[in-house]
Amino acid sequence: ASRSRRLRAVAGASADEPGVVRVRLEETEPGDPLHALTGPEKAVVFGCPDAGDVTVSGGRSSPVGAALALVKDTVEVTAPRTGFH
């Protein structure tokens, strides 16, 4: 706190390692999308090679419900596509 940083629990996943999610504590600095979160707010940053990082944040819902929704959305985004049915 004396260095204007905050500790955040950060989960990371990559299409290169399907089914693997790593969680760690990270120091965040002002300007980091996770730094400004308070209470049960949450954020997800999708690294998109063609578009850059896309960040979605906010909401004061249940942390467990939010975590499950983020996992569901991440699985949906990375699921193999077979076209329209």
Side-chain angles (χ1 to χ4, degrees):
S2 66
R3 296 180 299 159
S4 298
R5 297 182 181 187
R6 294 180 177 160
L7 278 179
R8 297 289 185 235
V10 177
S14 171
D16 296 335
E17 296 182 273
V20 176
V21 177
R22 291 184 174 83
V23 180
R24 64 191 179 283
L25 283 178
E26 262 185 37
E27 276 190 3
T28 61
E29 299 178 344
D32 184 299
L34 302 180
H35 183 80
L37 300 176
T38 59
E41 291 179 329
K42 62 267 175 211
V44 63
V45 179
F46 291 96
C48 303
D50 295 332
D53 289 348
V54 176
T55 302
V56 179
S57 66
R60 293 183 171 266
S61 62
S62 153
V64 173
L68 292 172
L70 290 174
V71 169
K72 180 192 80 63
D73 292 346
T74 301
V75 168
E76 178 64 27
V77 166
T78 61
R81 301 286 182 237
T82 58
F84 295 102
H85 295 279

